Amino acid sequence: GRVPQQVLPPARITDSTGAGDVFAAGVLGAMLSDAGRQAGAMAVGLACARAKIQHVGTAGYQVLNRVIREMDTDSGRRLFISHSFEDLEIAQRLVGLLKDWGVPEASIFCPADVRTGPKPAATLDLTIRQAIVDSILFIPLGSVAFTNSHYCSHEVGAAWALDIDMFPIALPGLSHKLLISMLRSRLGANSSSVQEMLRLRGRLLEHGLLESRRASSEADAVSEAENFGTLARTLARAKK
């Protein structure tokens, strides 16, 4: 497989001595860890080598712990929300709903959201691509703007090619049946239907994405789903 990386400008490389050793150490260390996978191990090795060549001599080794910690912070993201930028507000409210239901914020990737999206210095395309690869559940927020977005089409295509479990949510103004047909996905939900939205909660449970100590009660989950549907309708009317 391929591990996306951003090439460093030559001006930032101060000393390449030891970069290969650090790369090998990062790969082996990640492969031997409990959570290590081949692609993840390669990413760790490349990140370590990238950090090393920006420092002279052994000074590069002193930053490796920080590099590993930063990568570990991002590694928990297992749920990807695909949305049009025009639907950012409802996407952010979906993030809030998921957190209320018990999904840790670190497990959520929402591309245009400040808290759960790419870090400011990250390369957007590579970060989004890797987030899709790392996800086990893909949630497209279907709207008219979503269907007209080339970026959203690329994200859906990538998730479909990787056979990632998909749970589409149709926002007001877009036919639920049309969205399901377009995405060739098993049944998702209409944002206005509480019972259908609660199916998403069930899917989160299936994937082990809910933390019991954070999860809402059944009654609260219903109320939160109702509030989400009401907000979706309100925002849809405001756009008309």
Side-chain angles (χ1 to χ4, degrees):
R2 297 182 177 180
V3 179
Q5 289 289 306
Q6 182 181 15
V7 178
L8 275 176
R12 292 180 60 184
I13 299 175
T14 58
D15 184 5
S16 61
T17 304
D21 296 333
V22 168
F23 167 75
V27 171
L28 292 173
M31 290 182 72
L32 290 171
S33 69
D34 292 337
R37 295 182 302 170
Q38 185 176 359
M42 291 292 288
V44 171
L46 288 167
C48 289
R50 177 187 177 88
K52 169 62 191 73
I53 62 178
Q54 296 182 73
H55 297 81
V56 177
T58 58
Y61 302 139
Q62 299 172 12
V63 301
L64 298 184
N65 281 337
R66 176 177 56 79
V67 172
I68 301 292
R69 284 197 304 271
E70 289 178 353
M71 293 193 70
D72 186 58
T73 299
D74 292 334
S75 64
R77 291 183 171 174
R78 310 291 285 157
L79 186 156
F80 189 101
I81 300 173
S82 177
H83 65 90
S84 162
F85 188 77
E86 292 184 26
D87 300 317
L88 173 59
E89 186 172 353
I90 192 65
Q92 291 173 324
R93 293 304 180 95
L94 177 60
V95 170
L97 175 65
L98 296 173
K99 289 167 60 179
D100 287 341
W101 280 355
V103 180
E105 184 177 278
S107 296
I108 303 170
F109 188 92
C110 184
D113 181 46
V114 174
R115 294 182 63 87
T116 60
K119 294 179 179 178
T123 303
L124 185 61
D125 287 353
L126 296 181
T127 304
I128 289 178
R129 190 183 309 163
Q130 190 61 49
I132 295 174
V133 169
D134 290 340
S135 64
I136 56 176
L137 182 60
F138 184 90
I139 304 179
L141 277 181
S143 66
V144 174
F146 178 91
T147 62
N148 292 330
S149 168
H150 294 300
Y151 229 112
C152 292
S153 297
H154 294 161
E155 292 171 356
V156 169
W160 181 81
L162 292 167
D163 197 26
I164 297 169
D165 189 16
M166 196 176 295
F167 191 96
I169 297 176
L171 299 178
L174 186 70
S175 163
H176 186 207
K177 290 183 178 180
L178 174 61
L179 180 63
I180 296 298
S181 174
M182 287 171 56
L183 300 180
R184 298 183 180 181
S185 171
R186 61 176 172 150
L187 196 62
N190 187 311
S191 62
S192 298
S193 169
V194 173
Q195 292 306 313
E196 290 179 8
M197 285 298 296
L198 290 176
R199 285 204 297 260
L200 171 58
R201 191 165 181 260
R203 194 75 65 85
L204 297 170
L205 281 168
E206 288 177 21
H207 287 294
L209 288 166
L210 297 185
E211 290 187 354
S212 57
R213 63 185 177 85
R214 301 187 184 191
S216 302
S217 66
E218 292 293 330
D220 286 342
V222 170
S223 176
E224 289 153 359
E226 289 177 344
N227 291 338
F228 178 79
T230 300
L231 175 69
R233 291 191 296 272
T234 300
L235 291 175
R237 286 195 296 267
K239 291 179 180 180
K240 292 182 179 179

